Amino acid sequence: MGHVKIPYYIVKDGRGYWNPTAAMKRAGFASVPCGPDGPPAWSIAVTWNARWQDHRKGTTSTQWPDGSLGEAFEKYRRTDTWARKAIKTRQEWDAMWRLHICGYFGDYPPNAATFDRLDKWYSLLLAKNSIREAHRAMKIWRALWRVAGAMKYCDPDNDPSLGIRRKTPTPRTQVWSEGEAVRLVKGAWRKGYHGLSALLAIAWDTQFAPIDCRRLTSEQMTRTGPRLAFSVDRAKTGAPAIGTLCARSQRLLESYLASFAAEPLPNAPILRNRSGAAYTKEALNKDFAKVRATVFGPTETRKIMDSRRSGAVEAMAGQVDDGALAAKMANTIDQARELQRTYLPVDPASVARADDARLRGRHHLRTKRGEKSE
């Protein structure tokens, strides 16, 4: 076979592969098996080079074959339904598509993905990646199959991957106690991480995710009776949420805000790092790791987001009703159907019931652990 020069194309044991660099893989591209070395394999490699160039230029590839899964996905990404997805959700779809799906199935009609091919693909995912990553890739595959079915590219009710039993990632179970949360808040303040200290107190009280805490603004602050609260739309789901602060956290936040040289703009994030910039995900994780190591030692691995689970554990120990906990966490933890969510709106009364249950549960858990209150 004559030698051809195609960027990133290599041959192993007579078979061609389009083999992206490490930087290209970080951008979401994966190695693509092109088949036996020859013109058909070269054509696939050329196509993938074109897609890489499209990605570099910020344009959308239009080279997917007619009727292919890739064509279906590109059409879907131009719909209003796609645009209404949360940014994080779109990022996950794009990442799983580029990293794990399109290299194996993108050029072919969805029905070409037989059970045998999907079984081998999933086994390869497990061999090369974590169980969690393989689980995410299969989740997006199944969602994409339903979308392609709705667009008449395949039968939405005949996804062959349903014959594959996925391995389920071990869920996180780590929690903080109230005393540990207080030590973190105090430790951050004493180390000069005042914005982080306020963020940790807010995350504990409100059960907001770290990303929602990072984005809090003064215009989101309200008062529910004597209590200061935040009204937000959760970044992950867009669901409305109300987060109330206890008196101690409220005093801490007010003290932190009083230290500002000028009043922040209504829509500007109020929780800042020590340089005065709004917290990014990376800066928040870095500062928290330093404080966590100072307070609990270098072997501690629990995260800020574990405060969310900790609050749910407290509330359940306090015998919270499912609707109130769902309102507090702005999700469907109660397994509610759409009608239930319609008639159980997020309102201060529901959130207050969850807060009261947390106090009861906290006392119960503290008694079991033999702890004293902070």
Side-chain angles (χ1 to χ4, degrees):
M1 188 68 65
H3 181 68
V4 295
K5 291 185 177 180
I6 302 173
Y8 315 112
Y9 180 74
I10 62 173
V11 179
K12 291 182 180 179
D13 300 325
R15 301 186 70 83
Y17 298 85
W18 186 74
N19 193 38
T21 65
M24 294 161 69
K25 288 178 180 177
R26 286 195 294 272
F29 287 81
S31 179
V32 178
C34 302
D37 184 37
W42 304 339
S43 177
I44 293 174
V46 168
T47 298
W48 276 98
N49 277 323
R51 289 174 188 155
W52 164 243
Q53 294 303 324
D54 285 338
H55 174 79
R56 289 181 60 221
K57 297 173 185 175
T59 58
T60 302
S61 173
T62 57
Q63 301 185 45
W64 294 108
D66 291 343
S68 66
L69 186 64
E71 180 188 58
F73 188 40
E74 290 297 344
K75 286 184 178 179
Y76 181 53
R77 287 199 287 194
R78 294 195 291 269
T79 65
D80 292 338
T81 297
W82 172 262
R84 285 192 296 268
K85 285 184 180 293
I87 293 175
K88 245 181 129 175
T89 302
R90 295 201 302 264
Q91 289 174 341
E92 182 179 31
W93 277 62
D94 282 336
M96 293 300 101
W97 169 256
R98 288 198 303 266
L99 287 170
H100 304 306
I101 299 174
C102 67
Y104 294 90
F105 304 110
D107 284 318
Y108 307 100
N111 289 328
T114 61
F115 173 83
D116 288 342
R117 284 193 69 197
L118 282 162
D119 181 60
K120 291 176 182 177
W121 169 71
Y122 184 62
S123 296
L124 190 62
L125 283 175
L126 290 172
K128 292 187 173 182
N129 304 276
S130 65
I131 292 176
R132 185 173 300 277
E133 185 77 356
H135 190 274
R136 290 174 67 207
M138 182 63 86
K139 179 186 74 173
I140 298 304
W141 164 268
R142 289 176 177 175
L144 182 56
W145 179 277
R146 290 193 297 271
V147 167
M151 299 169 70
K152 307 302 182 184
Y153 280 81
C154 59
D155 180 355
D157 298 321
N158 194 30
D159 179 2
S161 78
L162 296 178
I164 299 171
R165 184 174 181 179
R166 289 183 296 177
K167 289 192 173 183
T168 303
T170 302
R172 288 185 63 82
T173 58
Q174 290 89 337
V175 295
W176 300 98
S177 70
E178 182 214 11
E180 290 171 328
V182 171
R183 289 174 61 190
L184 283 170
V185 171
K186 291 181 177 179
W189 189 271
R190 289 166 182 158
K191 293 288 288 184
Y193 295 92
H194 295 167
L196 174 62
S197 178
L199 187 149
L200 293 174
I202 291 170
W204 176 258
D205 283 357
T206 64
Q207 294 180 250
F208 287 168
I211 185 173
D212 297 308
C213 292
R214 287 194 290 110
R215 296 177 176 179
L216 291 174
T217 66
S218 58
E219 70 179 359
Q220 293 172 322
M221 287 195 292
T222 60
R223 283 196 178 272
T224 303
R227 306 185 74 177
L228 190 64
F230 287 94
S231 297
V232 305
D233 291 332
R234 289 199 59 217
K236 183 176 180 180
T237 63
I242 297 172
T244 50
L245 302 186
C246 70
R248 178 172 53 193
S249 297
Q250 186 168 318
R251 290 193 299 270
L252 176 67
L253 178 61
E254 290 170 343
S255 176
Y256 168 68
L257 293 177
S259 69
F260 283 19
E263 187 173 339
L265 294 173
N267 60 351
I270 58 175
L271 301 173
R272 310 295 183 88
N273 61 30
R274 293 193 295 180
S275 70
Y279 262 118
T280 63
K281 178 181 179 181
E282 293 74 19
L284 178 59
N285 289 339
K286 185 177 179 180
D287 284 0
F288 178 69
K290 291 177 182 177
V291 170
R292 181 183 61 192
T294 299
V295 177
F296 293 105
T299 60
E300 179 60 69
T301 60
R302 283 174 291 179
K303 303 178 184 297
I304 299 175
M305 64 178 165
D306 293 326
S307 293
R308 187 165 164 82
R309 183 181 308 104
S310 305
V313 169
E314 285 187 343
M316 288 188 287
Q319 298 180 329
V320 67
D321 67 86
D322 290 343
L325 187 55
K328 173 74 175 177
M329 301 187 72
N331 66 10
T332 53
I333 194 170
D334 59 337
Q335 304 299 311
R337 297 182 183 275
E338 193 64 33
L339 280 176
Q340 288 176 294
R341 287 195 288 170
T342 299
Y343 292 104
L344 286 173
V346 177
D347 62 85
S350 296
V351 173
R353 293 204 309 276
D355 289 336
D356 291 342
R358 282 190 66 181
L359 291 174
R360 294 194 301 272
R362 185 179 301 162
H363 176 74
H364 174 69
L365 293 170
R366 189 186 294 142
T367 301
K368 286 182 64 177
R369 296 173 183 141
E371 297 176 349
K372 296 180 180 179
S373 64
E374 289 286 333

